[in-house]
Structures are given as C-alpha cells and as structure tokens.
Amino acid sequence: MTTIVPRWEWRTFGRRFGIAESRFAALQPTAVQDSDELYLLAGSADNLKIRDALMDIKVLREVSPDGLERWEPVMKQGFPLAAADMQKVFAALNLPAPALARDAYTLEQFLAELVVPSGALRPVNVHKRRVRYKVGGCTAEVTDITAEGKATRSIAIESEDAAAVIAAVASVGLADYCNMSYPRGLRALLDGAPERYAVIDAGTNSIKFHIAERAADGSLRAVVDRAEMTRLGEGLEESGEIGHEAIERAVAAIAKMVEEAKQNGVLAIAAVGTAGLRMARNGAAVIATIRARTGVAIEVISGEEEGRLAYLAVKAGLGLPEGSLVVFDTGGGSSQFTFGRGAHVDERFSVDVGAVRYTERFGLDNVVSPEVLEDALAAIAADLTRIEGRPAPDLLVAMGGAITNLAAVKHALKTYDPDIVQGTVLDRAEIDRQIELYRSRSAEERRTIVGLQPKRADVILAGACIVRTVMEKLRQDALRVSDRGLRHGLVVERFGG
C-alpha cells in the first residue's frame, strides 16, 4: 500500500502579485504543464476534480495556527466508478448521495444522471497552465487559470514541513496574502468577487484600517477607510514600554479589523507598525501578542520608510507639482519628512516629534496657560532643528490624524468626509485660531467641537502646535492637506494601483 505523506499547502489567487512576480521570474522552472480539468463545487466541500478521466478527491484534514491547510488525497480512480465509490464522492461534497440506479457509472453517466439533476453541484471546466519551481526546499507553482471565460492566476507552495512553507511564502514576497483553497478561489472568480486588499497601520496614537478594491481599469478605490484611537503609546514617554491596557486596546481593534477584512473577502492583509513599536522596549513582545491573538504579523518599518510611503500616497492622491515639495506626516510618536521635486525624492527622514509625547510632557490635554503653550512650542521647535535653514518649498503637504482633524474642524464636518478634507488649504491664521480654541478648553470641552473626533481631543493641541512649528520653520503661510496617508501608500506599494 502506498503511504500518503501529509503535505501542508498554501495558495492565493489574484491578477497581480507585485514583487513576487519578479522573484519567480528570476527562478528556473522545473516543469511546465497544461491541463483541462472539471471541478465540482458545492458549498464548503472538499477539493474534487476530474482530470484525465480520473476522479481526484482531496479532503481537508487540518489547518495550522499559521493558516496552512493539510489536504489528504483519498481517491484517484478511473471511471467507471462503482456505486460504493459514488457514496464517497458525495460524502466529500458534503451532500447526501442520491438514489443510485446503477452498479457503476461512466463519466458521462455520472454527469448526466447525478451531477446535473442534483441542482447542488456546480461543474466548472478549468484550463490550467502550471509552471513549477523549487523555493526553499518546497514545491511552488504559478498557474494561469481560465474558468468559464474568466481568467485569474494562482500561486501555491507546499511541503511536508509547515515552517518551510511559511518561510518560502515570505521569501517570494507573499507573506501578506491569505491562504485560499482551489474551491474557494474558483467560486470567487466565477461569482465575480471583487479583488480586495487590506492594510493596518498601527501607530502610536491610532490604528488605521484601509480596504481597497481593484477597479476594472486596475486602479484601487477605497471600500473601508477608518481609524481607531487606541493610544498604543500611552505612558511610553515615561516608562519606555507599552502598557497592558494599551496592548489590550490594540489587540481588540486589530481583531475587529481582521474580522471585517475577512467579511470583505480580502486577498491579503498588510500590517505595519510605526514609532510607538519602534521605541518601546517591549515592542517585540507586543507584536508577538498581537500575532498570537489576531493572526496578524506586524512589520515595524523605519521612519524613513514611513516618509517614503507618505510621499507615494501624495503622488497617488493629489498629484505632484513641477516645483519643490515637502510632505510631512505627523503622528503620535514621530513625524516623517520627505523632500523632493515632482516624482523625485531628494531626502527623507524621521524625527521623534509626536503629539502624544508633548501632550504628556506639558499637560496639553487640558486648559493650559499661554506660558505653558509657549514652552511646548519652544520644545517642539528645538526638536525640529533638522528642518531649519532649508529653501522654502513651492508646496507643503501635510497628512496624519492631527492635520485631517484640523481640516475637518475648519469645514465644521459633522460627519467626516475624506473628499472634502483631501486638498484642503490651511493657512497660519486658521492654525493659530484652532490652537487658541484648544488651549482654552479641556479635553472634555474640546469633544463638543464640530469636526473634531472625540477620541483625539486630548492630543489635538499638541498636533496643531507641531503643524504650526513646521510651517514656521519651512517659511510657509499655508499648506495642503492630504487625507491619504501611509496606509494608502502601502496599498499601492504592495498591491499595485
């Protein structure tokens, strides 16, 4: 008897795979194969197909903590199939077997007498062109698929060693992608399911969540775009660590986002962490906790990478002028600056200038005197010396939660509207007006201000002070607001726009 060795499988579907395409193109194929197959789809059934007149059934036996699937072959048998074997076929389809009038069935009889009349089975003719590779000791396969006139592509990696599969998936740049079996992938293709991708940006003050859907022209449009104020960096300035309550808030928010992503049928979830996770002594432990409880692996990126992605978001969302441009993204723990001209980036860097830090240091979450405000502005200015002494840019673009809230307050938006906020011009007079508005009110009183997100009331004064100081140092009387931030740049970078 042939021993069946369990193999762990990972597979994804889509039309584009970014960097993975170039990585496979650099490999030498081990085999190329064309085949025509007939899949039988039925609800949440196992993997059934007919190829070369053989009934081929694989049963899902196990799912690993990392989401890998272990499929076990249970039948690979030629027609005619005995009635007893037909019982096994319908069991694998999770359907009751119909009355069997024959002792055995040819392929034609099986389709005409059992499949078509059932109404519960969906026979799908599939053409595949499979190109096989070896990646990290695993078998990898890139397949172009055509089913009922619709085309897609699938990438699969499998091995007896689950850890090797995970490593191979990461090595080709597909760690963000969700595992999807052939039956699920085919159903999504045939049903016209939209191609969607999710991004989670775990910042010091808020966690941002974005789902983008690929349009017919290949561009990406927002389906979901929101933020949860989790205050991950609460107390970080004083203790150097992320506290238990902040971790719990972050885990709860990310778990909800993952569930929403699954409900939207996303093909991939990319998650990045910024200043708070970079600075915290227990950052690695926090990331491990989040992964264990949500399944999301957060990649901590550098401040310079934040700046690059922010610049990419501006390029995609606002377009770029011909002259000099500075894009800055201010968050809870740091601010990123990118200096460029048109599409060319000259310099990018990050500084530890964030709203949470100054809020905690100067008590800016409450009413403060003009003297305390001046002290806070002086401290911010001292920490922003790196942007001093530069030529004034032709355009300054700002992004981040502080700046979009300043724009929403200017427009008195009862309900946040990204299309109104995008491209808003804020001048120094408006920033100064809002600084005084927040300085003279407690956090509780600020929450009544139309346009201000209630959960941002305690850090908005510090954020406005950072914006004001940047404008002063770069000698700008006004700036443009970009509602598109790091998450938008990341979705374009990872999944194409």
Side-chain angles (χ1 to χ4, degrees), residues 161-197:
D161 184 347
V165 174
I166 295 296
V169 169
S171 74
V172 295
L174 292 172
D176 296 334
Y177 284 75
C178 304
N179 192 9
M180 181 180 291
S181 67
Y182 245 120
R184 286 175 54 211
L186 285 177
R187 279 194 292 270
L189 173 66
L190 298 174
D191 294 343
E195 196 172 306
R196 290 177 173 172
Y197 304 92

Side-chain angles (χ1 to χ4, degrees), residues 391-408:
D394 294 321
L395 178 64
L396 175 64
V397 176
M399 62 178 62
I403 198 71
T404 55
N405 270 261
L406 295 178

Side-chain angles (χ1 to χ4, degrees), residues 303-304 307-308 326-329 335-339 347-351 353 384 387 396 466 470 474:
E304 290 74 15
R308 188 184 70 81
V326 176
V327 175
F328 86 97
D329 182 357
S335 295
Q336 289 68 47
F337 292 85
T338 304
F339 293 76
E347 183 183 10
R348 60 177 181 263
F349 56 83
S350 176
V351 292
V353 172
L384 282 173
I387 66 172
L396 175 64
I466 293 170
V470 170
L474 294 177

